[in-house]
Amino acid sequence: MAGSNTVVRRLGIAAVCLLSLAVCVGLAWWQWERFSSANGTFQNLGYVLQWPLFGLFPAFVFWRIRQLRRRQPEAAADEPPSAPPEVPAPRPAPAAPDDEDDELAAYNRYLAELHARDQQGNR
């Protein structure tokens, strides 16, 4: 039963890839017609080159996923997942130095004064 599910899924993916390619080739043709018209620009020509690439992208992704799955070792897929790695304990915060910097202390007092003035002004 699982084998038929895989076949159906692959056929569905192939159908989506072909549909994507068909739609994007149609859009490229439409942009080519616009480029060929009197008011066509080189931007339309750029789209003519881009749309087929957009149409091929789903097929490329499908191919790439298959390649990556083939590279995975077979044994790793059969083994049950291992226990998660241990998380190291958090490091203790460094102790504050006993001798406080005079400039830092003055700056902190200045900030405290500004905060006090701001609080009085908001009342």
Side-chain angles (χ1 to χ4, degrees):
M1 194 64 149
S4 65
N5 189 19
T6 304
V7 171
V8 171
R9 185 171 18 144
R10 286 186 182 176
L11 287 175
I13 291 171
V16 167
C17 290
L18 288 174
L19 179 66
S20 170
L21 184 60
V23 168
C24 289
V25 165
L27 288 169
W29 180 261
W30 171 63
Q31 287 294 331
W32 178 257
E33 293 295 322
R34 292 205 45 175
F35 174 70
S36 300
S37 70
N39 58 354
T41 64
F42 283 105
Q43 183 177 8
N44 298 115
L45 183 61
Y47 288 137
V48 167
L49 301 173
Q50 285 180 348
W51 279 115
L53 295 175
F54 293 154
L56 290 172
F57 186 72
F60 169 74
V61 170
F62 179 64
W63 173 80
R64 183 66 178 148
I65 289 171
R66 288 190 69 196
Q67 293 295 320
L68 291 174
R69 284 187 180 164
R70 285 183 187 164
R71 290 184 188 168
Q72 289 178 348
E74 296 282 334
D78 295 336
E79 292 178 9
S82 60
E86 291 186 28
V87 178
R91 295 179 185 166
D98 293 333
D99 54 316
E100 188 174 293
D101 186 15
D102 293 336
E103 290 181 29
L104 180 61
Y107 181 67
N108 285 334
R109 284 191 299 274
Y110 172 71
L111 290 177
E113 288 174 22
L114 289 178
H115 180 69
R117 285 186 212 163
D118 188 42
Q119 293 299 322
Q120 290 175 355
N122 287 336
R123 291 184 185 175

